[in-house]
Amino acid sequence: MRYLSSGESHGPQLTAIIEGVPAGLTLTAEMINQDLRIRQQGYGRGDRMKIESDQVQITSGVRHGVTLGSPITLVIKNKDNKNWGHVMAIEPIDEHDYEIKKVPRPGHADLVGAMKYGHRDLRNVLERSSARETAIRVAVGAVAKQILKALDIEVISHVLQIGKVSVTNYPTTISTIQAAIANSPVRCVDSDLSIQMCQHIDEAKQQGDSVGGIVQVLAENVPAGLGSYVQFDRKLDAKIAAAFMGVQSVKGVYFGDAMMASSHFGSEVHDQISYDQGFTRMSNHYGGFEGGMTNGMPVVVQAMIKPIPTLYQPLNSIHIDTKEVEESMIERSDSCVVPAAGVVLESVLAFELAKEILEEFQSNQMSSLIKAVKCHREAMRDF
């Protein structure tokens, strides 16, 4: 299974084409739209979310609510494009008719992207590098979630930290986490800390600043044996880490209790093996992985999210033509994207797991895939 996405932040639309989804999967636009709505929520989002109400259109690969096995095309229209039609025009226009962006933002792709591709207008970079692209990735991930759901695998995210406010005690099961974050505007399991996180975001916004944090993403009921130890590029945790790092603003990824494990004795962190109707572990410090393979425990991944580079009290930068010091440009942006980033990373994890499952159990039909995974689970249990 693979996909490509295309589109710019203020262009007409975002598009993805997914290839390799088995035939026979129940799929509707509303299943995808549920995740798109959650992505748009979260305390600290900017005015763009007041303009967009993301709705996906499925334009191929599905008939009567069921996948056909052919490529699936997903489209999300950018409502804000009506205000940017001239600036983002496909056909040539007079460069004096619009503002050319010349002062890059520290921490953004603006400058290096322009240097790499030879652009003298930074908008040519910022439009595609914008996190607006994650909307279509959430749509793709929602398709992957439907595959996982058919295999009784669930995925969820929650916020561990925003700025200096962090959660130290939190549940470890998806059902408990889901209930705990239901009424939190920052998707945090602790209601008191949720309030503090919101206050911290408000402080950053009032100062024209931004704030980052840490999210945790979990998957339950993942079969043991996905991935492989035989080659470095077949290790599933390595693939997931790379995919997470491909999400805008993610600057670090670790599995399970890796931050703790790095400073403790091995006797304190290795997950001891036990047996109860199949092999299991007495703890899950390694986040469901051993030797690059899933071990049957929940997959647990943390991602560190940097603060958004656009600041309403901008930092100094350099004009790419005059080479003079100027304040970096301002684009409409969020104060905090940590809760939304968690939703995006749910989609990323769901896609990587579904992709690995389809590589392990090559199936053209969902019914065949379900049978193959069931047989595999039984073989793992009976080993």
Side-chain angles (χ1 to χ4, degrees), residues 8 11-12 81 84-98 121 124:
E8 285 73 45
N81 177 250
W84 292 77
H86 188 65
V87 175
M88 297 300 297
I90 301 297
E91 298 301 321
I93 64 173
D94 190 324
E95 67 176 24
H96 299 293
D97 290 346
Y98 62 96
D121 182 352
N124 291 339

Side-chain angles (χ1 to χ4, degrees), residues 108-307:
H108 208 281
D110 302 337
L111 178 57
V112 179
M115 293 167 65
K116 178 177 177 66
Y117 290 99
H119 295 307
R120 303 310 297 183
D121 182 352
L122 300 176
R123 183 161 297 285
N124 291 339
V125 178
L126 69 89
E127 283 289 332
R128 179 58 183 170
S129 62
S130 166
R132 173 67 185 155
E133 179 264 348
T134 62
I136 199 67
R137 260 196 273 187
V138 168
V140 171
V143 176
K145 283 183 179 180
Q146 294 306 309
I147 297 174
L148 297 182
K149 184 177 179 180
L151 303 173
D152 298 319
I153 300 170
E154 290 187 86
V155 183
I156 200 171
S157 69
H158 64 110
V159 171
L160 296 182
Q161 181 177 327
I162 289 180
K164 298 178 181 178
V165 184
S166 60
V167 181
T168 54
N169 295 311
Y170 47 86
T172 58
T173 62
I174 286 182
S175 60
T176 309
I177 291 170
Q178 205 162 32
I181 66 174
N183 297 314
S184 170
V186 288
R187 295 176 64 83
C188 174
V189 298
D190 188 305
S191 57
D192 291 333
L193 290 176
S194 289
I195 295 171
Q196 293 181 36
M197 288 177 179
C198 291
Q199 291 171 342
H200 197 47
I201 294 169
D202 288 340
E203 291 171 9
K205 187 174 183 179
Q206 290 166 7
Q207 296 168 12
D209 217 327
S210 59
V211 64
I214 299 174
V215 297
Q216 184 179 81
V217 191
L218 302 90
E220 285 183 348
N221 204 29
V222 179
L226 298 181
S228 178
Y229 64 92
V230 302
Q231 291 287 354
F232 68 93
D233 58 352
R234 291 184 61 189
K235 293 175 182 285
L236 180 55
D237 51 358
K239 295 179 183 179
I240 291 170
F244 270 43
M245 288 297 294
V247 175
Q248 291 88 335
S249 294
V250 174
K251 300 304 291 182
V253 179
Y254 60 99
F255 291 79
D257 297 328
M259 299 294 281
M260 176 276 290
S262 61
S263 60
H264 284 62
F265 291 116
S267 58
E268 298 175 293
V269 299
H270 295 313
D271 298 315
Q272 295 188 66
I273 299 170
S274 61
Y275 188 88
D276 180 13
Q277 298 182 332
F279 287 100
T280 186
R281 307 296 183 279
M282 297 174 67
S283 58
N284 192 24
H285 296 307
Y286 291 153
F289 282 93
E290 290 168 342
M293 302 168 291
T294 55
N295 62 13
M297 298 296 285
V299 171
V300 183
V301 196
Q302 282 78 221
M304 298 174 176
I305 315 298
K306 73 176 182 181

